[in-house]
Amino acid sequence: MTFRATILTLYPEMFPGHLAVSLAGKALERGQWSLDTVQIRDFAQDRHRTVDDTPAGGGAGMVLKPDILAKAIDKVSEGDNRPRLLMSPRGKPLTQEKVRELAAGDGVVIVCGRFEGVDQRVIDARNLEEVSIGDYVLSGGEPAALTLLDAVVRILPGVMGNALSGTHESFENGLLEHPQYTRPQVFEGLEIPAVLTSGNHAAIEKWRLEEARKLTAERRPDLLPNKAK
Ligand code: ADE
């Protein structure tokens, strides 16, 4: 089964972007996942192909019109039960757990927001799930969609070269990843921690877990159990 991503955007030329190279690009070439873009503006009805309008109640910026976005969504969603996401700084924060859940499915439809926002009625009527990639504001949802797809595609079956390389990484055990080292043995007078070259695998695992816990406590105490935010 191929994971299918469909992106609704006013800037289809932003895709596949960085997903055309490296791991994701090779997987795309091999047909392990697919990417289609839909130009939202193609569903505008007037001469000027207008997609936005001023916010009801006043205020700065423009709002994406619900009727046009609904038409675009309906066109791509015929006989389709993929989750429909709306990239937005108001969304639920993206987590590795959510990434794993999406990667286990058939694919995803992603709406990229622009302007000040999207009319709330189309979010409700088409059941769009708002997703944020972090507490900062981008000028549009496109880089957020590329980021989400990067995270999903790399864990699709058969995409990562070394299947084990994903198992120790950050968040897979709820912790940030332990520090890594490689040759040379001495770099600018700094040695690789002796335990890592001891050959004692149990001691290495213990050291890595301790380091991961220390790092997580220091940088992301919110990830540790029993640490209420
Ligand atoms: N669009 C603008 N900012 C965003 C964010 N932080 N996450 C997802 N989509 C966005």
Side-chain angles (χ1 to χ4, degrees):
M1 189 188 63
T2 300
F3 183 92
R4 277 201 313 131
T6 302
I7 315 290
L8 280 65
T9 171
L10 292 165
Y11 298 96
E13 63 275 23
M14 288 195 191
F15 297 88
H18 77 276
L19 299 177
V21 297
S22 191
L23 212 65
K26 291 206 183 81
L28 190 57
E29 271 173 31
R30 285 198 297 259
Q32 287 172 312
W33 68 292
S34 74
L35 179 66
D36 307 298
T37 55
V38 172
Q39 169 56 272
I40 296 168
R41 199 174 292 282
D42 288 348
F43 296 84
Q45 280 142 327
D46 64 321
R47 224 157 41 85
H48 303 291
R49 305 219 299 158
T50 309
V51 292
D52 57 340
D53 207 338
T54 54
M62 298 294 269
V63 177
L64 207 53
K65 290 161 70 64
D67 46 342
I68 292 162
L69 186 54
K71 281 207 178 79
I73 293 168
D74 293 346
K75 170 83 183 300
V76 304
S77 307
E78 271 172 357
D80 191 318
N81 50 17
R82 288 176 292 168
R84 292 194 281 257
L85 311 183
L86 169 63
M87 303 316 295
S88 154
R90 297 195 326 177
K92 258 203 188 167
L94 182 64
T95 61
Q96 192 63 22
E97 187 187 357
K98 181 69 182 176
V99 167
R100 277 195 293 265
E101 182 192 310
L102 289 170
D106 297 340
V108 67
V109 174
I110 305 179
V111 178
C112 298
R114 278 268 150 186
F115 315 108
E116 296 312 299
V118 174
D119 188 298
Q120 185 63 39
R121 292 168 295 176
V122 69
I123 299 175
D124 298 338
R126 293 299 180 273
N127 202 15
L128 301 181
E129 183 183 345
E130 292 183 77
V131 176
S132 166
I133 63 161
D135 292 343
Y136 40 81
V137 182
L138 304 170
S139 49
E142 287 80 4
L146 287 165
T147 297
L148 180 146
L149 285 176
D150 183 305
V152 168
V153 167
R154 64 184 287 280
I155 62 165
L156 292 175
V159 170
M160 209 162 357
N162 173 4
L164 268 180
S165 69
T167 58
H168 260 96
E169 64 192 17
S170 293
F171 309 116
E172 286 301 331
N173 60 0
L175 297 173
L176 301 182
E177 195 186 36
H178 55 77
Q180 296 280 18
Y181 299 86
T182 188
R183 282 177 285 269
Q185 178 63 35
V186 184
F187 163 69
E188 296 186 352
L190 303 168
E191 302 247 8
I192 294 176
V195 63
L196 296 180
T197 48
S198 68
N200 181 342
H201 294 292
I204 292 171
E205 279 311 299
K206 185 163 168 275
W207 181 87
R208 286 181 165 166
L209 188 57
E210 277 166 13
E211 291 297 312
R213 285 207 180 108
K214 261 195 269 175
L215 205 67
T216 308
E218 202 178 289
R219 297 185 185 170
R220 295 292 308 278
D222 58 297
L223 293 177
L224 293 173
N226 310 320
K227 286 269 164 90
K229 271 172 252 175

